[in-house]
Amino acid sequence: LRHLDFLTETGFVDSHGRLTEDGVWASQLRVDQPLLVAECLRQKLLPETNAALMAGVFACFVNERETDDRMEGRLVPNPLKKTIARIQKKLTGFARHMKSRGFDVRQLYLRPAAMTHAWAAGYPWENVAEDYGMAEGNLAMLMMRTADNLRHTANLTQVFPRAAETAREAIGLIMRTPVVEEPDAVDL
């Protein structure tokens, strides 16, 4: 009932306990922080014209580890910093509301966003792992989980066509060797 009350208060469920239009598409989000991602979509906070930024943003939602965000300035591009700061600012009220109703809200950290953005933007894998201080296995897992979360937004083509297209592009940018193995070339 606590969940239902919150979903009603936030417009995902109507007063009769039925999903609203927003509730229907939001129910398709099988992601780490579905209500925060849904609120980003509703407020059009996701970077719909930049797939590398989109990948970085989703890495924030996927990340479960508290990370020290003190990094060299060159490792966090200004457009990424501004995008994450804007999302945090715009989600503050919604996140407070979630917390007041007893729901867990994880902080959005820059480090996973920056390393995912760097990889998506073409920075060499070894450099991403070394510069951002993450073991390659953990980095690969972050990319796979980020891609999995992006897939759910990519499936919302009817409701958010531009965000869906950018999410598909972002998946392509991060799901490449060595995150996934390339199929062996076929000898003809």
Side-chain angles (χ1 to χ4, degrees):
L1 289 175
R2 181 172 60 94
H3 286 87
L4 180 60
D5 288 345
F6 180 79
L7 293 173
T8 302
E9 291 168 7
T10 55
F12 291 105
V13 172
D14 68 20
S15 60
H16 302 290
R18 292 183 298 250
L19 292 174
T20 62
E21 279 186 42
D22 284 349
V24 171
W25 61 259
S27 70
Q28 297 173 34
L29 293 172
R30 306 286 195 279
V31 295
D32 285 69
Q33 297 189 65
L35 291 174
L36 291 179
V37 172
E39 192 61 17
C40 279
L41 286 162
R42 279 204 296 199
Q43 291 190 39
K44 300 194 180 306
L45 300 176
L46 297 175
E48 295 183 351
T49 59
N50 186 316
L53 278 177
M54 177 82 81
V57 166
F58 268 82
C60 285
F61 292 117
V62 167
N63 181 60
E64 293 177 346
R65 297 178 180 179
E66 291 187 23
T67 59
D68 179 5
D69 286 330
R70 282 177 264 149
M71 294 179 286
E72 290 180 45
R74 70 176 179 83
L75 296 176
V76 186
N78 279 334
L80 180 64
K81 264 191 243 184
K82 288 178 182 178
T83 300
I84 299 297
R86 182 173 152 261
I87 288 171
Q88 287 175 322
K89 181 179 179 184
K90 295 286 188 172
L91 288 182
T92 298
F94 190 82
R96 277 193 194 128
H97 186 64
M98 283 182 71
K99 285 180 183 179
S100 75
R101 297 299 186 260
F103 296 100
D104 184 41
V105 178
R106 291 192 310 248
Q107 183 174 337
L108 303 180
Y109 290 101
L110 273 176
R111 185 175 298 276
M115 63 181 88
T116 303
H117 177 267
W119 174 240
Y123 203 60
W125 180 259
E126 296 78 16
N127 295 56
V128 173
E130 183 179 323
D131 289 352
Y132 292 94
M134 182 175 265
E136 289 188 40
N138 292 337
L139 184 57
M141 183 60 69
L142 175 65
M143 297 307 150
M144 288 186 277
R145 289 189 59 218
T146 299
D148 185 51
N149 277 244
L150 283 162
R151 279 186 192 94
H152 293 275
T153 297
N155 289 333
L156 297 175
T157 56
Q158 298 298 316
V159 187
F160 300 102
R162 187 66 190 127
E165 180 183 330
T166 304
R168 275 191 302 282
E169 291 172 33
I171 293 166
L173 293 175
I174 62 175
M175 293 303 289
R176 52 193 170 88
T177 304
V179 177
V180 294
E181 290 185 31
E182 293 289 331
D184 293 333
V186 179
D187 292 324
L188 298 176

